[in-house]
Amino acid sequence: MTDEATPEESRLIGEAVARLRAGIMAIVFGSLSGTGLLVATVWLLIRGGKNTGQHLGLLSNYFPGYTVSWGGALVGLLYGALLGALVGWATAWIYNRMVDLRLSGRRPPEES
């Protein structure tokens, strides 16, 4: 028994390995991160207090126009969705490239 896979085994492995769909990952990550930032902002606004959203407000350094306010919650939704979609797409793209590299590195055993 050898450690090398036969060409047929390599083909079956290639078919069995799940590929990630970059578009779907972008939609899922974008939806979750956008909604997460919206909910975090709204939660702080409803909770209120002396320094409402002091730490979350620091995101305005990265997201121009974002503030811990009702309007800022909508801006945060857009920024969160955009950033999340980019991260989701990149994650799927990198994963698929790694799978391709892994499968292309398999060579059929040399016949003696």
Side-chain angles (χ1 to χ4, degrees):
M1 181 181 261
T2 65
D3 291 338
E4 295 289 327
T6 66
E8 178 64 17
E9 289 172 337
S10 292
R11 186 186 64 77
L12 290 172
I13 290 170
E15 291 175 2
V17 172
R19 304 272 190 225
L20 297 178
R21 294 185 180 189
I24 300 298
M25 291 286 286
I27 290 170
V28 170
F29 276 55
S31 299
L32 288 175
S33 60
T35 303
L37 187 52
L38 174 80
V39 168
T41 304
V42 169
W43 176 265
L44 288 173
L45 290 171
I46 291 172
R47 189 173 143 217
K50 185 176 179 181
N51 291 321
T52 305
Q54 178 180 355
H55 294 102
L56 194 61
L58 293 174
L59 283 176
S60 64
N61 292 318
Y62 302 101
F63 301 150
Y66 174 77
T67 58
V68 181
S69 65
W70 293 103
L74 295 176
V75 172
L77 171 68
L78 296 175
Y79 276 121
L82 181 64
L83 184 62
L86 181 63
V87 169
W89 182 85
T91 300
W93 186 84
I94 291 169
Y95 173 83
N96 289 336
R97 293 299 122 351
M98 296 299 288
V99 167
D100 290 342
L101 286 173
R102 175 85 174 166
L103 291 177
S104 68
R106 297 183 187 268
R107 295 185 196 100
E110 296 179 14
E111 295 181 24
S112 307

